[in-house]
Amino acid sequence: MKKTKSYILSLIIILTLSCKNKSKIETNKNIHLDLKKTVELITQILIDKNGSYLSSSCISESRKVFTSSIFFDIGEKANQYLNIKDSLHLKNQVDFFNEFKIIKGATLNKKVITEKQYNELKSKRKFWKWIEINCEKGYCSISKPIFNETFDLAYIQISQKLFSFDYSSEIIIYEYKNKKWSEKETIIRFIS
């Protein structure tokens, strides 16, 4: 009886550990796929939208400089269009979205305004003076896309700020078809 209990306990531990490892492997695969699809979509958007929302010569490192109440509760709003059933996938997508920062090499020659620079200058006239000197057409921002489980639909925010009072933004659903991302639907277009 003792041997049987020991065997069952060992089997349970092995199964539990192998399930955890399988979960980690699956999670790592999704992180890799998310990174690949994020780079793919953002690169395409930077090229496609270079004449509109992303025409500025500067881009913010983080979308946090574009906070507006219409962009809060991002997970819930994104899920209205992406219909994500897996709550862990949605949580991971929202976490990735909130932590995302643009890196210099991924900006197609745009100057990156770091969050630190923005925070040091935003409440002063110096910030807009700096923008005027260093950035043509204000500055823009692009969020981390939130993807559905199959990574063929994406929810993304694109914004541009020309002056402290001149702000425009849109939220778009992109769809991956025939090895290319294309705009499926503009959800919100905001201009102030």
Side-chain angles (χ1 to χ4, degrees):
M1 186 71 163
K2 243 183 182 179
K3 279 186 177 182
T4 307
K5 282 184 183 180
S6 173
Y7 174 77
I8 291 173
L9 183 59
S10 296
L11 189 58
I12 289 171
I13 290 170
I14 290 168
L15 287 174
T16 303
L17 290 175
S18 67
C19 287
K20 284 184 180 177
N21 288 339
K22 185 178 179 186
S23 176
K24 280 184 183 179
I25 290 168
E26 194 63 36
T27 300
N28 287 340
K29 201 187 309 180
N30 281 344
I31 289 171
H32 178 71
L33 182 58
D34 183 88
L35 178 61
K36 178 184 174 225
K37 291 294 188 178
T38 297
V39 170
E40 187 180 273
L41 179 55
I42 287 179
T43 301
Q44 185 177 327
I45 291 172
L46 283 169
I47 293 166
D48 292 349
K49 296 248 181 221
N50 196 39
S52 61
Y53 283 99
L54 300 174
S55 62
S56 305
S57 63
C58 293
I59 190 165
S60 67
E61 172 186 57
S62 170
R63 63 140 192 108
K64 293 175 186 171
V65 299
F66 291 99
T67 52
S68 170
S69 61
I70 62 170
F71 301 113
F72 292 145
D73 299 325
I74 205 74
E76 187 178 306
K77 288 183 179 177
N79 203 23
Q80 291 173 1
Y81 299 91
L82 301 177
N83 198 21
I84 297 170
K85 303 277 189 257
D86 182 349
S87 59
L88 181 59
H89 178 81
L90 179 59
K91 181 192 178 311
N92 287 339
Q93 288 296 302
V94 171
D95 289 346
F96 295 158
F97 176 89
N98 288 327
E99 297 303 316
F100 179 73
K101 291 185 178 184
I102 287 283
I103 56 173
K104 191 173 187 169
T107 62
L108 298 179
N109 299 321
K110 293 184 187 299
K111 295 175 192 163
V112 176
I113 302 169
T114 65
E115 211 170 330
K116 182 180 177 187
Q117 284 174 304
Y118 179 80
N119 288 331
E120 287 173 354
L121 299 169
K122 75 175 181 179
S123 62
K124 306 170 195 160
R125 299 185 120 212
K126 288 181 187 178
F127 178 72
W128 286 104
K129 194 68 171 167
W130 187 89
I131 292 292
E132 187 179 318
I133 294 167
N134 294 288
C135 302
E136 188 178 324
K137 298 182 183 178
Y139 65 104
C140 57
S141 174
I142 189 165
S143 73
K144 156 77 176 74
I146 295 177
F147 297 102
N148 65 352
E149 293 100 327
T150 54
F151 290 87
D152 62 353
L153 285 177
Y155 177 99
I156 194 163
Q157 175 189 345
I158 302 165
S159 306
Q160 183 178 32
K161 200 162 192 173
L162 296 175
F163 306 103
S164 60
F165 55 85
D166 188 352
Y167 165 74
S168 54
S169 188
E170 61 184 8
I171 294 177
I172 305 168
I173 297 294
Y174 275 83
E175 185 172 26
Y176 190 74
K177 270 187 179 177
N178 303 320
K179 299 183 181 182
K180 187 176 185 215
W181 287 100
S182 57
E183 285 186 38
K184 180 179 180 184
E185 177 183 2
T186 299
I187 298 169
I188 294 174
R189 188 168 281 138
F190 178 81
I191 299 171
S192 71

